[in-house]
Amino acid sequence: ETGLKMGAKVVWLPTTNAANQIRKNGKTGGIECLDNGKAVEPLREIFKMIKEYDVVLGTGHLSPEEIFPVVDQAKNMGLNKIVITHPEFWVVGMSHEEQVRIVRDYDVYLERCYAQPMGGGVYKSNLSDNLSIIREVGYEHVMVDTDGGQVENPLWELAMEEYMQYLADRGVTSEQLKVMTQTIPAKLLGLEQ
């Protein structure tokens, strides 16, 4: 709430502390967002604040099994600025079918990143998979970025240049690139002109 009062524009659900990520790393513990398949009460309180301040909800590193009921609860509470945080990341692990379904059923945005850090100084390129999902769900539902900053990934400005060139070389128009890189983020952040 303090962050929202200070002007925060995005609330991410747990990432590295999400129970899903902890389990994927072979450990126990972490933050659970569901109880018996329903959003936990503190999460509902957070959703009320997100709605009140009209900010973005990012799904963090939840699993697909968590994302669907969480997004359903958020939509039922009137949240419309919802971003499925890098669904291609191996920790999240959403299939193409799940990504298509969540966009179709809930009118959300997919954040599709240049690459995913794999640990040990290694990253995996997402470019061909990103192009495929853009074609499947439509560019109007995909926000592209680099998720740069990790030591495994290239510098964000180099990654973004390569990402945009890759998409342009494969028929994505400059107008479509503008929507995915500028229009969607501006809309979500309330920066529309």
PDB file of all heavy atoms in Angstrom, residues 40-71:
ATOM      1  N   VAL A  40      -5.915 -16.749  -1.801  1.00  0.00           N
ATOM      2  CA  VAL A  40      -5.879 -16.536  -0.355  1.00  0.00           C
ATOM      3  C   VAL A  40      -6.423 -15.152  -0.028  1.00  0.00           C
ATOM      4  O   VAL A  40      -6.357 -14.236  -0.850  1.00  0.00           O
ATOM      5  CB  VAL A  40      -4.453 -16.730   0.212  1.00  0.00           C
ATOM      6  CG1 VAL A  40      -3.991 -18.165   0.041  1.00  0.00           C
ATOM      7  CG2 VAL A  40      -3.473 -15.755  -0.410  1.00  0.00           C
ATOM      8  N   GLU A  41      -6.963 -14.996   1.173  1.00  0.00           N
ATOM      9  CA  GLU A  41      -7.600 -13.735   1.567  1.00  0.00           C
ATOM     10  C   GLU A  41      -6.664 -12.527   1.449  1.00  0.00           C
ATOM     11  O   GLU A  41      -7.083 -11.477   0.934  1.00  0.00           O
ATOM     12  CB  GLU A  41      -8.174 -13.836   2.985  1.00  0.00           C
ATOM     13  CG  GLU A  41      -9.019 -12.642   3.374  1.00  0.00           C
ATOM     14  CD  GLU A  41     -10.179 -12.358   2.424  1.00  0.00           C
ATOM     15  OE1 GLU A  41     -10.827 -13.309   1.931  1.00  0.00           O
ATOM     16  OE2 GLU A  41     -10.431 -11.162   2.149  1.00  0.00           O
ATOM     17  N   PRO A  42      -5.388 -12.617   1.889  1.00  0.00           N
ATOM     18  CA  PRO A  42      -4.517 -11.435   1.710  1.00  0.00           C
ATOM     19  C   PRO A  42      -4.386 -11.015   0.251  1.00  0.00           C
ATOM     20  O   PRO A  42      -4.270  -9.823  -0.048  1.00  0.00           O
ATOM     21  CB  PRO A  42      -3.171 -11.895   2.273  1.00  0.00           C
ATOM     22  CG  PRO A  42      -3.522 -12.986   3.239  1.00  0.00           C
ATOM     23  CD  PRO A  42      -4.719 -13.680   2.638  1.00  0.00           C
ATOM     24  N   LEU A  43      -4.429 -11.968  -0.662  1.00  0.00           N
ATOM     25  CA  LEU A  43      -4.342 -11.639  -2.081  1.00  0.00           C
ATOM     26  C   LEU A  43      -5.572 -10.854  -2.531  1.00  0.00           C
ATOM     27  O   LEU A  43      -5.469  -9.908  -3.303  1.00  0.00           O
ATOM     28  CB  LEU A  43      -4.175 -12.918  -2.903  1.00  0.00           C
ATOM     29  CG  LEU A  43      -3.811 -12.749  -4.364  1.00  0.00           C
ATOM     30  CD1 LEU A  43      -2.564 -11.904  -4.546  1.00  0.00           C
ATOM     31  CD2 LEU A  43      -3.618 -14.115  -5.011  1.00  0.00           C
ATOM     32  N   ARG A  44      -6.726 -11.219  -2.020  1.00  0.00           N
ATOM     33  CA  ARG A  44      -7.949 -10.468  -2.350  1.00  0.00           C
ATOM     34  C   ARG A  44      -7.853  -9.031  -1.856  1.00  0.00           C
ATOM     35  O   ARG A  44      -8.327  -8.102  -2.520  1.00  0.00           O
ATOM     36  CB  ARG A  44      -9.165 -11.170  -1.766  1.00  0.00           C
ATOM     37  CG  ARG A  44      -9.441 -12.501  -2.420  1.00  0.00           C
ATOM     38  CD  ARG A  44     -10.676 -13.144  -1.869  1.00  0.00           C
ATOM     39  NE  ARG A  44     -10.620 -14.559  -2.183  1.00  0.00           N
ATOM     40  CZ  ARG A  44     -11.304 -15.487  -1.579  1.00  0.00           C
ATOM     41  NH1 ARG A  44     -12.121 -15.164  -0.603  1.00  0.00           N
ATOM     42  NH2 ARG A  44     -11.193 -16.740  -1.933  1.00  0.00           N
ATOM     43  N   GLU A  45      -7.244  -8.849  -0.689  1.00  0.00           N
ATOM     44  CA  GLU A  45      -7.051  -7.491  -0.171  1.00  0.00           C
ATOM     45  C   GLU A  45      -6.107  -6.700  -1.084  1.00  0.00           C
ATOM     46  O   GLU A  45      -6.322  -5.519  -1.346  1.00  0.00           O
ATOM     47  CB  GLU A  45      -6.509  -7.539   1.264  1.00  0.00           C
ATOM     48  CG  GLU A  45      -7.483  -8.106   2.273  1.00  0.00           C
ATOM     49  CD  GLU A  45      -8.797  -7.343   2.320  1.00  0.00           C
ATOM     50  OE1 GLU A  45      -8.762  -6.097   2.374  1.00  0.00           O
ATOM     51  OE2 GLU A  45      -9.861  -7.993   2.277  1.00  0.00           O
ATOM     52  N   ILE A  46      -5.079  -7.363  -1.569  1.00  0.00           N
ATOM     53  CA  ILE A  46      -4.144  -6.717  -2.499  1.00  0.00           C
ATOM     54  C   ILE A  46      -4.859  -6.357  -3.799  1.00  0.00           C
ATOM     55  O   ILE A  46      -4.675  -5.267  -4.349  1.00  0.00           O
ATOM     56  CB  ILE A  46      -2.921  -7.627  -2.751  1.00  0.00           C
ATOM     57  CG1 ILE A  46      -2.081  -7.722  -1.472  1.00  0.00           C
ATOM     58  CG2 ILE A  46      -2.087  -7.115  -3.924  1.00  0.00           C
ATOM     59  CD1 ILE A  46      -1.027  -8.800  -1.497  1.00  0.00           C
ATOM     60  N   PHE A  47      -5.729  -7.254  -4.285  1.00  0.00           N
ATOM     61  CA  PHE A  47      -6.484  -6.970  -5.506  1.00  0.00           C
ATOM     62  C   PHE A  47      -7.372  -5.734  -5.330  1.00  0.00           C
ATOM     63  O   PHE A  47      -7.537  -4.948  -6.256  1.00  0.00           O
ATOM     64  CB  PHE A  47      -7.337  -8.168  -5.913  1.00  0.00           C
ATOM     65  CG  PHE A  47      -6.550  -9.325  -6.478  1.00  0.00           C
ATOM     66  CD1 PHE A  47      -7.186 -10.524  -6.757  1.00  0.00           C
ATOM     67  CD2 PHE A  47      -5.195  -9.233  -6.735  1.00  0.00           C
ATOM     68  CE1 PHE A  47      -6.467 -11.596  -7.283  1.00  0.00           C
ATOM     69  CE2 PHE A  47      -4.479 -10.289  -7.258  1.00  0.00           C
ATOM     70  CZ  PHE A  47      -5.128 -11.477  -7.535  1.00  0.00           C
ATOM     71  N   LYS A  48      -7.946  -5.565  -4.139  1.00  0.00           N
ATOM     72  CA  LYS A  48      -8.770  -4.372  -3.886  1.00  0.00           C
ATOM     73  C   LYS A  48      -7.923  -3.106  -4.037  1.00  0.00           C
ATOM     74  O   LYS A  48      -8.373  -2.110  -4.618  1.00  0.00           O
ATOM     75  CB  LYS A  48      -9.374  -4.432  -2.481  1.00  0.00           C
ATOM     76  CG  LYS A  48     -10.495  -5.433  -2.332  1.00  0.00           C
ATOM     77  CD  LYS A  48     -11.002  -5.473  -0.895  1.00  0.00           C
ATOM     78  CE  LYS A  48     -11.986  -6.616  -0.705  1.00  0.00           C
ATOM     79  NZ  LYS A  48     -12.368  -6.774   0.720  1.00  0.00           N
ATOM     80  N   MET A  49      -6.698  -3.153  -3.516  1.00  0.00           N
ATOM     81  CA  MET A  49      -5.808  -1.987  -3.643  1.00  0.00           C
ATOM     82  C   MET A  49      -5.403  -1.763  -5.095  1.00  0.00           C
ATOM     83  O   MET A  49      -5.342  -0.622  -5.561  1.00  0.00           O
ATOM     84  CB  MET A  49      -4.565  -2.172  -2.768  1.00  0.00           C
ATOM     85  CG  MET A  49      -4.830  -2.014  -1.296  1.00  0.00           C
ATOM     86  SD  MET A  49      -3.299  -2.086  -0.336  1.00  0.00           S
ATOM     87  CE  MET A  49      -3.282  -3.828   0.070  1.00  0.00           C
ATOM     88  N   ILE A  50      -5.115  -2.846  -5.817  1.00  0.00           N
ATOM     89  CA  ILE A  50      -4.751  -2.720  -7.231  1.00  0.00           C
ATOM     90  C   ILE A  50      -5.867  -2.042  -8.004  1.00  0.00           C
ATOM     91  O   ILE A  50      -5.625  -1.146  -8.820  1.00  0.00           O
ATOM     92  CB  ILE A  50      -4.399  -4.104  -7.824  1.00  0.00           C
ATOM     93  CG1 ILE A  50      -3.087  -4.625  -7.230  1.00  0.00           C
ATOM     94  CG2 ILE A  50      -4.319  -4.040  -9.350  1.00  0.00           C
ATOM     95  CD1 ILE A  50      -2.769  -6.067  -7.590  1.00  0.00           C
ATOM     96  N   LYS A  51      -7.097  -2.444  -7.716  1.00  0.00           N
ATOM     97  CA  LYS A  51      -8.244  -1.831  -8.400  1.00  0.00           C
ATOM     98  C   LYS A  51      -8.385  -0.363  -7.999  1.00  0.00           C
ATOM     99  O   LYS A  51      -8.585   0.508  -8.843  1.00  0.00           O
ATOM    100  CB  LYS A  51      -9.515  -2.599  -8.088  1.00  0.00           C
ATOM    101  CG  LYS A  51     -10.713  -2.004  -8.783  1.00  0.00           C
ATOM    102  CD  LYS A  51     -11.942  -2.844  -8.608  1.00  0.00           C
ATOM    103  CE  LYS A  51     -13.111  -2.046  -9.064  1.00  0.00           C
ATOM    104  NZ  LYS A  51     -13.894  -2.383 -10.057  1.00  0.00           N
ATOM    105  N   GLU A  52      -8.286  -0.092  -6.704  1.00  0.00           N
ATOM    106  CA  GLU A  52      -8.445   1.277  -6.212  1.00  0.00           C
ATOM    107  C   GLU A  52      -7.425   2.219  -6.842  1.00  0.00           C
ATOM    108  O   GLU A  52      -7.751   3.345  -7.223  1.00  0.00           O
ATOM    109  CB  GLU A  52      -8.291   1.293  -4.689  1.00  0.00           C
ATOM    110  CG  GLU A  52      -8.375   2.676  -4.079  1.00  0.00           C
ATOM    111  CD  GLU A  52      -8.098   2.686  -2.585  1.00  0.00           C
ATOM    112  OE1 GLU A  52      -8.080   1.604  -1.955  1.00  0.00           O
ATOM    113  OE2 GLU A  52      -7.880   3.790  -2.047  1.00  0.00           O
ATOM    114  N   TYR A  53      -6.190   1.776  -6.981  1.00  0.00           N
ATOM    115  CA  TYR A  53      -5.131   2.622  -7.521  1.00  0.00           C
ATOM    116  C   TYR A  53      -4.981   2.479  -9.038  1.00  0.00           C
ATOM    117  O   TYR A  53      -4.159   3.159  -9.633  1.00  0.00           O
ATOM    118  CB  TYR A  53      -3.802   2.319  -6.825  1.00  0.00           C
ATOM    119  CG  TYR A  53      -3.737   2.877  -5.420  1.00  0.00           C
ATOM    120  CD1 TYR A  53      -4.201   2.137  -4.344  1.00  0.00           C
ATOM    121  CD2 TYR A  53      -3.226   4.149  -5.185  1.00  0.00           C
ATOM    122  CE1 TYR A  53      -4.150   2.646  -3.052  1.00  0.00           C
ATOM    123  CE2 TYR A  53      -3.169   4.675  -3.899  1.00  0.00           C
ATOM    124  CZ  TYR A  53      -3.640   3.913  -2.841  1.00  0.00           C
ATOM    125  OH  TYR A  53      -3.584   4.428  -1.571  1.00  0.00           O
ATOM    126  N   ASP A  54      -5.759   1.590  -9.639  1.00  0.00           N
ATOM    127  CA  ASP A  54      -5.753   1.372 -11.094  1.00  0.00           C
ATOM    128  C   ASP A  54      -4.344   1.100 -11.618  1.00  0.00           C
ATOM    129  O   ASP A  54      -3.834   1.782 -12.502  1.00  0.00           O
ATOM    130  CB  ASP A  54      -6.361   2.570 -11.821  1.00  0.00           C
ATOM    131  CG  ASP A  54      -6.593   2.281 -13.301  1.00  0.00           C
ATOM    132  OD1 ASP A  54      -6.841   1.108 -13.655  1.00  0.00           O
ATOM    133  OD2 ASP A  54      -6.507   3.229 -14.104  1.00  0.00           O
ATOM    134  N   VAL A  55      -3.699   0.081 -11.028  1.00  0.00           N
ATOM    135  CA  VAL A  55      -2.359  -0.299 -11.439  1.00  0.00           C
ATOM    136  C   VAL A  55      -2.371  -1.700 -12.047  1.00  0.00           C
ATOM    137  O   VAL A  55      -3.407  -2.358 -12.118  1.00  0.00           O
ATOM    138  CB  VAL A  55      -1.352  -0.208 -10.261  1.00  0.00           C
ATOM    139  CG1 VAL A  55      -1.267   1.233  -9.761  1.00  0.00           C
ATOM    140  CG2 VAL A  55      -1.712  -1.149  -9.136  1.00  0.00           C
ATOM    141  N   VAL A  56      -1.218  -2.141 -12.481  1.00  0.00           N
ATOM    142  CA  VAL A  56      -1.064  -3.411 -13.194  1.00  0.00           C
ATOM    143  C   VAL A  56      -0.821  -4.546 -12.206  1.00  0.00           C
ATOM    144  O   VAL A  56      -0.057  -4.395 -11.244  1.00  0.00           O
ATOM    145  CB  VAL A  56       0.125  -3.324 -14.177  1.00  0.00           C
ATOM    146  CG1 VAL A  56       0.328  -4.642 -14.921  1.00  0.00           C
ATOM    147  CG2 VAL A  56      -0.074  -2.174 -15.154  1.00  0.00           C
ATOM    148  N   LEU A  57      -1.431  -5.686 -12.478  1.00  0.00           N
ATOM    149  CA  LEU A  57      -1.131  -6.915 -11.757  1.00  0.00           C
ATOM    150  C   LEU A  57      -0.258  -7.789 -12.651  1.00  0.00           C
ATOM    151  O   LEU A  57      -0.643  -8.111 -13.774  1.00  0.00           O
ATOM    152  CB  LEU A  57      -2.416  -7.680 -11.415  1.00  0.00           C
ATOM    153  CG  LEU A  57      -2.217  -9.118 -10.901  1.00  0.00           C
ATOM    154  CD1 LEU A  57      -1.521  -9.110  -9.540  1.00  0.00           C
ATOM    155  CD2 LEU A  57      -3.538  -9.861 -10.844  1.00  0.00           C
ATOM    156  N   GLY A  58       0.922  -8.163 -12.162  1.00  0.00           N
ATOM    157  CA  GLY A  58       1.801  -9.114 -12.847  1.00  0.00           C
ATOM    158  C   GLY A  58       1.762 -10.433 -12.089  1.00  0.00           C
ATOM    159  O   GLY A  58       1.816 -10.443 -10.857  1.00  0.00           O
ATOM    160  N   THR A  59       1.691 -11.544 -12.804  1.00  0.00           N
ATOM    161  CA  THR A  59       1.496 -12.844 -12.155  1.00  0.00           C
ATOM    162  C   THR A  59       2.764 -13.462 -11.588  1.00  0.00           C
ATOM    163  O   THR A  59       2.707 -14.532 -10.985  1.00  0.00           O
ATOM    164  CB  THR A  59       0.815 -13.837 -13.116  1.00  0.00           C
ATOM    165  OG1 THR A  59       1.597 -13.948 -14.312  1.00  0.00           O
ATOM    166  CG2 THR A  59      -0.599 -13.390 -13.453  1.00  0.00           C
ATOM    167  N   GLY A  60       3.904 -12.827 -11.757  1.00  0.00           N
ATOM    168  CA  GLY A  60       5.125 -13.326 -11.141  1.00  0.00           C
ATOM    169  C   GLY A  60       5.509 -14.716 -11.607  1.00  0.00           C
ATOM    170  O   GLY A  60       5.339 -15.060 -12.773  1.00  0.00           O
ATOM    171  N   HIS A  61       5.992 -15.523 -10.687  1.00  0.00           N
ATOM    172  CA  HIS A  61       6.473 -16.862 -11.028  1.00  0.00           C
ATOM    173  C   HIS A  61       5.523 -17.959 -10.576  1.00  0.00           C
ATOM    174  O   HIS A  61       5.943 -19.054 -10.217  1.00  0.00           O
ATOM    175  CB  HIS A  61       7.866 -17.085 -10.430  1.00  0.00           C
ATOM    176  CG  HIS A  61       8.920 -16.238 -11.055  1.00  0.00           C
ATOM    177  ND1 HIS A  61      10.246 -16.310 -10.694  1.00  0.00           N
ATOM    178  CD2 HIS A  61       8.860 -15.292 -12.031  1.00  0.00           C
ATOM    179  CE1 HIS A  61      10.955 -15.439 -11.414  1.00  0.00           C
ATOM    180  NE2 HIS A  61      10.124 -14.810 -12.230  1.00  0.00           N
ATOM    181  N   LEU A  62       4.233 -17.658 -10.617  1.00  0.00           N
ATOM    182  CA  LEU A  62       3.242 -18.676 -10.296  1.00  0.00           C
ATOM    183  C   LEU A  62       3.199 -19.716 -11.410  1.00  0.00           C
ATOM    184  O   LEU A  62       3.582 -19.447 -12.548  1.00  0.00           O
ATOM    185  CB  LEU A  62       1.859 -18.053 -10.127  1.00  0.00           C
ATOM    186  CG  LEU A  62       1.709 -16.940  -9.082  1.00  0.00           C
ATOM    187  CD1 LEU A  62       0.249 -16.534  -8.968  1.00  0.00           C
ATOM    188  CD2 LEU A  62       2.267 -17.353  -7.738  1.00  0.00           C
ATOM    189  N   SER A  63       2.696 -20.877 -11.093  1.00  0.00           N
ATOM    190  CA  SER A  63       2.515 -21.939 -12.087  1.00  0.00           C
ATOM    191  C   SER A  63       1.212 -21.699 -12.842  1.00  0.00           C
ATOM    192  O   SER A  63       0.336 -20.965 -12.370  1.00  0.00           O
ATOM    193  CB  SER A  63       2.451 -23.301 -11.393  1.00  0.00           C
ATOM    194  OG  SER A  63       1.231 -23.396 -10.658  1.00  0.00           O
ATOM    195  N   PRO A  64       1.029 -22.340 -14.005  1.00  0.00           N
ATOM    196  CA  PRO A  64      -0.243 -22.208 -14.723  1.00  0.00           C
ATOM    197  C   PRO A  64      -1.437 -22.618 -13.855  1.00  0.00           C
ATOM    198  O   PRO A  64      -2.503 -21.999 -13.933  1.00  0.00           O
ATOM    199  CB  PRO A  64      -0.074 -23.147 -15.925  1.00  0.00           C
ATOM    200  CG  PRO A  64       1.395 -23.193 -16.150  1.00  0.00           C
ATOM    201  CD  PRO A  64       2.013 -23.115 -14.776  1.00  0.00           C
ATOM    202  N   GLU A  65      -1.247 -23.638 -13.022  1.00  0.00           N
ATOM    203  CA  GLU A  65      -2.330 -24.106 -12.162  1.00  0.00           C
ATOM    204  C   GLU A  65      -2.739 -23.044 -11.142  1.00  0.00           C
ATOM    205  O   GLU A  65      -3.878 -23.030 -10.672  1.00  0.00           O
ATOM    206  CB  GLU A  65      -1.923 -25.392 -11.436  1.00  0.00           C
ATOM    207  CG  GLU A  65      -1.679 -26.579 -12.345  1.00  0.00           C
ATOM    208  CD  GLU A  65      -0.341 -26.514 -13.105  1.00  0.00           C
ATOM    209  OE1 GLU A  65       0.608 -25.867 -12.616  1.00  0.00           O
ATOM    210  OE2 GLU A  65      -0.270 -27.106 -14.205  1.00  0.00           O
ATOM    211  N   GLU A  66      -1.819 -22.150 -10.824  1.00  0.00           N
ATOM    212  CA  GLU A  66      -2.123 -21.036  -9.925  1.00  0.00           C
ATOM    213  C   GLU A  66      -2.619 -19.817 -10.694  1.00  0.00           C
ATOM    214  O   GLU A  66      -3.508 -19.096 -10.235  1.00  0.00           O
ATOM    215  CB  GLU A  66      -0.865 -20.646  -9.134  1.00  0.00           C
ATOM    216  CG  GLU A  66      -0.344 -21.710  -8.208  1.00  0.00           C
ATOM    217  CD  GLU A  66       1.043 -21.381  -7.695  1.00  0.00           C
ATOM    218  OE1 GLU A  66       1.995 -21.291  -8.511  1.00  0.00           O
ATOM    219  OE2 GLU A  66       1.160 -21.189  -6.473  1.00  0.00           O
ATOM    220  N   ILE A  67      -2.038 -19.584 -11.847  1.00  0.00           N
ATOM    221  CA  ILE A  67      -2.348 -18.371 -12.618  1.00  0.00           C
ATOM    222  C   ILE A  67      -3.825 -18.319 -13.002  1.00  0.00           C
ATOM    223  O   ILE A  67      -4.460 -17.275 -12.853  1.00  0.00           O
ATOM    224  CB  ILE A  67      -1.437 -18.264 -13.859  1.00  0.00           C
ATOM    225  CG1 ILE A  67      -0.001 -17.971 -13.422  1.00  0.00           C
ATOM    226  CG2 ILE A  67      -1.946 -17.192 -14.825  1.00  0.00           C
ATOM    227  CD1 ILE A  67       1.027 -18.058 -14.543  1.00  0.00           C
ATOM    228  N   PHE A  68      -4.378 -19.419 -13.479  1.00  0.00           N
ATOM    229  CA  PHE A  68      -5.769 -19.381 -13.931  1.00  0.00           C
ATOM    230  C   PHE A  68      -6.743 -18.984 -12.825  1.00  0.00           C
ATOM    231  O   PHE A  68      -7.540 -18.048 -13.008  1.00  0.00           O
ATOM    232  CB  PHE A  68      -6.164 -20.696 -14.600  1.00  0.00           C
ATOM    233  CG  PHE A  68      -5.727 -20.786 -16.025  1.00  0.00           C
ATOM    234  CD1 PHE A  68      -4.509 -21.369 -16.356  1.00  0.00           C
ATOM    235  CD2 PHE A  68      -6.508 -20.264 -17.050  1.00  0.00           C
ATOM    236  CE1 PHE A  68      -4.094 -21.434 -17.680  1.00  0.00           C
ATOM    237  CE2 PHE A  68      -6.106 -20.321 -18.378  1.00  0.00           C
ATOM    238  CZ  PHE A  68      -4.897 -20.912 -18.696  1.00  0.00           C
ATOM    239  N   PRO A  69      -6.719 -19.611 -11.637  1.00  0.00           N
ATOM    240  CA  PRO A  69      -7.653 -19.168 -10.588  1.00  0.00           C
ATOM    241  C   PRO A  69      -7.344 -17.771 -10.050  1.00  0.00           C
ATOM    242  O   PRO A  69      -8.264 -17.023  -9.697  1.00  0.00           O
ATOM    243  CB  PRO A  69      -7.529 -20.229  -9.493  1.00  0.00           C
ATOM    244  CG  PRO A  69      -6.367 -21.073  -9.828  1.00  0.00           C
ATOM    245  CD  PRO A  69      -6.036 -20.850 -11.269  1.00  0.00           C
ATOM    246  N   VAL A  70      -6.067 -17.386 -10.022  1.00  0.00           N
ATOM    247  CA  VAL A  70      -5.711 -16.044  -9.565  1.00  0.00           C
ATOM    248  C   VAL A  70      -6.246 -14.999 -10.535  1.00  0.00           C
ATOM    249  O   VAL A  70      -6.851 -13.996 -10.129  1.00  0.00           O
ATOM    250  CB  VAL A  70      -4.182 -15.924  -9.371  1.00  0.00           C
ATOM    251  CG1 VAL A  70      -3.741 -14.467  -9.307  1.00  0.00           C
ATOM    252  CG2 VAL A  70      -3.743 -16.672  -8.120  1.00  0.00           C
ATOM    253  N   VAL A  71      -6.062 -15.223 -11.824  1.00  0.00           N
ATOM    254  CA  VAL A  71      -6.572 -14.280 -12.824  1.00  0.00           C
ATOM    255  C   VAL A  71      -8.098 -14.257 -12.798  1.00  0.00           C
ATOM    256  O   VAL A  71      -8.708 -13.187 -12.908  1.00  0.00           O
ATOM    257  CB  VAL A  71      -6.029 -14.616 -14.232  1.00  0.00           C
ATOM    258  CG1 VAL A  71      -6.757 -13.836 -15.313  1.00  0.00           C
ATOM    259  CG2 VAL A  71      -4.529 -14.333 -14.293  1.00  0.00           C
TER     260      VAL A  71
END
